[in-house]
């Protein structure tokens, strides 16, 4: 039994989500191969080869894959899948775009966002916005699975897997890469940050997020937001934490001015420690918080930032 993990990377750097998908594959058991599809992506392939548990890295390198689109990558994965019992990818924006196409081309059912592995054919996944867990069993010959990466600890480095070249596909005729806008920040990436400070509708406006920026600077944290804050235009979409945003599970999550709607809780309730600051003592966020402060965030957050500075 061999497992193929689809790597997420930027050609030069391997996304940490890939290592967490490898962790899920390790629990399934068997040889673990990682597919790195990109252009001049040897550094990402070498990083994948160092992940403990990986036995082989397949490198598909071509100009058409410098900015791969799902219409190009999915056929490659579907072709390679014939030699594997499982195909895994992180449940990121990219993974959620690519793997459903692979499952459709293989005519199998996809198992989405697993958080646990019972056996090679039985998996645990969240349902009802994370309020319940479902154990599902697949009888498909090839299991196509996305992995909720916050549920698995990334394995360490120290491996020395072989890197083999594999045929790269030509560009897609129905879709092509046009451009991308990448948000640059000196702060940690939201899904990989050890500490996250998030603001909600209670922030009032986008300018007030500067209060959270100061707190985040003291904590070395990433800054996130609820959907209400994003929809109101306070901050960009890539800040959004929740069921329809990014799933995070940092060591410390500070929720400021966030009421705690079920959609937001689904994206952060697995955080190790949750601190909530809200003026409404009945806010649902306090039901999941380890520590709660009821009061005016515009007074409390600057005071907290000042104390941390001492």
């Amino acid at each position: 039994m061999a497992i193929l993990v689809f790597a997420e990377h930027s050609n030069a750097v391997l996304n940490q989500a890939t290592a967490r998908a490898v962790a899920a594959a390790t629990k399934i058991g068997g040889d673990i191969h990682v597919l790195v599809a990109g252009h001049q992506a040897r550094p990402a392939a070498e990083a994948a080869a160092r992940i403990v548990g990986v036995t082989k890295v397949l490198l598909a390198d071509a100009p058409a894959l410098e900015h791969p689109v799902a219409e190009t990558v999915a056929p490659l994965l579907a072709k390679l899948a014939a030699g594997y019992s499982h195909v895994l990818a992180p449940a990121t924006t990219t993974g959620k775009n690519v793997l459903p196409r692979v499952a459709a081309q293989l005519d199998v059912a996809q198992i989405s966002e697993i958080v646990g592995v019972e056996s090679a054919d039985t998996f645990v996944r969240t349902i009802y916005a994370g309020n319940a867990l479902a154990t599902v069993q697949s009888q498909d010959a090839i299991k196509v699975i996305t992995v909720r990466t916050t549920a698995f600890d990334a394995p360490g480095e120290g491996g020395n897997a072989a890197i083999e070249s594999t045929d790269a596909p030509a560009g897609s005729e129905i879709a092509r890469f046009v451009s991308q806008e990448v948000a640059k920040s000196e702060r940690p990436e939201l899904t990989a940050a050890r500490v996250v400070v998030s603001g909600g509708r209670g922030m009032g406006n986008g300018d007030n997020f500067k209060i959270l920026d100061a707190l985040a600077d003291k904590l070395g944290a990433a800054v996130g937001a609820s959907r209400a804050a994003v929809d109101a235009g306070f901050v960009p979409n890539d800040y959004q934490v929740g069921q329809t945003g990014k799933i995070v599970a940092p060591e410390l999550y500070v929720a400021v001015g966030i009421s705690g709607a079920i959609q937001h809780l689904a994206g952060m309730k697995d955080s190790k420690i949750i601190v909530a600051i809200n003026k409404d003592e009945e806010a649902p966020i306090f039901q999941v918080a380890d520590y709660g402060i009821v009061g005016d965030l515009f007074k409390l957050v600057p005071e907290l930032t000042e104390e941390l500075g001492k």
Side-chain angles (χ1 to χ4, degrees):
M1 181 170 66
I3 302 167
L4 181 62
V5 176
F6 175 59
E8 189 163 332
H9 60 90
S10 62
N11 292 315
V13 179
L14 189 71
N15 192 314
Q16 188 184 37
T18 303
R20 294 177 181 269
V22 169
T26 302
K27 293 182 179 296
I28 296 172
D31 291 337
I32 301 172
H33 299 175
V34 176
L35 171 64
V36 176
H39 182 48
Q40 298 179 345
R42 186 82 185 187
E46 291 174 348
R50 292 193 294 269
I51 299 173
V52 173
V54 174
T55 55
K56 183 190 294 185
V57 175
L58 302 177
L59 175 60
D61 201 304
L65 294 174
E66 181 174 4
H67 299 285
V69 294
E71 290 80 359
T72 300
V73 177
L76 171 62
L77 269 170
K79 179 181 177 181
L80 292 172
Y84 295 92
S85 58
H86 300 72
V87 177
L88 273 63
T92 58
T93 301
T94 299
K96 292 177 182 179
N97 192 17
V98 173
L99 250 62
R101 300 169 189 268
V102 176
Q105 292 179 27
L106 296 175
D107 194 25
V108 299
Q110 177 178 298
I111 303 173
S112 300
E113 300 203 37
I114 66 167
V115 296
V117 176
E118 297 288 323
S119 68
D121 64 358
T122 306
F123 310 92
V124 179
R125 61 182 299 267
T126 59
I127 58 175
Y128 302 131
N131 285 303
L133 297 175
T135 301
V136 296
Q137 185 177 43
S138 171
Q139 296 181 350
D140 290 323
I142 303 174
K143 282 77 171 173
V144 177
I145 302 167
T146 59
V147 177
R148 178 168 286 194
T149 54
T150 56
F152 298 89
D153 293 328
E157 295 188 353
N160 189 27
I163 301 176
E164 296 182 3
S165 296
T166 188
D167 293 337
S172 171
E173 296 181 356
I174 60 175
R176 63 185 178 89
F177 172 82
V178 176
S179 66
Q180 67 179 359
E181 295 181 8
V182 180
K184 295 182 179 180
S185 174
E186 295 181 357
R187 294 198 177 91
E189 201 279 323
L190 190 57
T191 56
R194 186 181 63 85
V195 181
V196 174
V197 177
S198 284
R201 192 195 306 273
M203 296 303 301
N205 57 57
D207 289 340
N208 289 335
F209 265 75
K210 294 177 182 177
I211 300 173
L212 300 189
D213 290 340
L215 177 59
D217 289 340
K218 295 294 184 183
L219 295 171
V223 176
S226 67
R227 178 172 180 173
V230 171
D231 286 350
F234 296 172
V235 290
N237 289 344
D238 59 328
Y239 279 49
Q240 185 175 327
V241 173
Q243 186 179 15
T244 54
K246 296 179 178 178
I247 307 297
V248 301
E251 294 179 21
L252 172 63
Y253 187 89
V254 183
V256 182
I258 295 176
S259 63
I262 188 172
Q263 293 87 351
H264 186 76
L265 298 183
M268 47 65 71
K269 67 180 183 180
D270 290 331
S271 304
K272 304 300 185 293
I273 297 176
I274 300 172
V275 176
I277 301 174
N278 199 297
K279 66 180 181 181
D280 179 9
E281 62 182 17
E282 300 297 328
I285 191 70
F286 289 123
Q287 296 177 13
V288 299
D290 297 285
Y291 302 95
I293 306 175
V294 178
D296 182 356
L297 69 88
F298 296 106
K299 177 183 178 183
L300 292 171
V301 174
E303 288 180 352
L304 177 57
T305 303
E306 183 179 351
E307 288 297 320
L308 289 169
K310 295 178 181 178

